[in-house]
Amino acid sequence: QVQLVESGGGLVQAGGSLRLACAASGRAFSTYAMGWFRQAPGKEREFVAAISWSGGRTNYADSVKGRFTISVDNAKNTGYLQMNSLKPEDTAVYYCASRYAAGSYYYTKNNDYDYWGQGTQVTVSS
């Protein structure tokens, strides 16, 4: 069984930065692809960013492209989401997700993932 725990959320002013972390336990992080999703009040959970297990391939939602960066540190079993130039519309609960991936694939849909963290709140004030 895999457990994912997010951290790093908080309150920040527009234009600021936050770095979210997703610590995995229960198995080695290598060969597991990772994604970040978010859910704002009254909205469905949406894709934010994804990365292959090797870290060599990434994908981003258009709304965050150029502002957010996803990365993984397999030695630490931890994934990250660096968020810069934050906007009020980035306010949401952010979730990390993981799944086994045999190749250099990334995944962008909710139901592609088998394991989810509990979420961390990010609030951006205007």
Side-chain angles (χ1 to χ4, degrees):
Q1 187 70 347
V2 174
Q3 295 82 41
L4 302 175
V5 178
E6 301 98 336
S7 61
L11 173 65
V12 63
Q13 288 189 331
S17 298
L18 284 174
R19 188 176 81 154
L20 305 184
C22 176
S25 61
R27 54 96 178 111
F29 214 45
S30 59
T31 72
Y32 278 74
M34 190 188 77
W36 287 93
F37 293 76
R38 66 187 181 187
Q39 187 167 20
K43 295 187 177 181
E44 294 187 353
R45 187 155 56 186
E46 65 174 4
F47 167 73
V48 175
I51 191 166
S52 61
W53 70 266
S54 66
R57 299 186 68 211
T58 59
N59 187 267
Y60 297 91
D62 288 343
S63 59
V64 307
K65 204 170 291 183
R67 300 188 297 122
F68 290 12
T69 303
I70 188 172
S71 62
V72 291
D73 185 337
N74 287 329
K76 295 183 178 180
N77 274 7
T78 301
Y80 302 95
L81 184 69
Q82 177 67 44
M83 307 186 294
N84 299 329
S85 302
L86 282 160
K87 305 175 181 180
E89 51 264 43
D90 294 318
T91 295
V93 177
Y94 283 71
Y95 299 89
C96 67
S98 183
R99 61 158 288 161
Y100 175 76
S104 296
Y105 300 111
Y106 56 73
Y107 301 88
T108 62
K109 295 181 174 55
N110 281 280
N111 57 12
D112 286 333
Y113 289 92
D114 299 315
Y115 306 104
W116 292 84
Q118 82 289 350
T120 185
Q121 176 70 46
V122 171
T123 303
V124 184
S125 63
S126 57

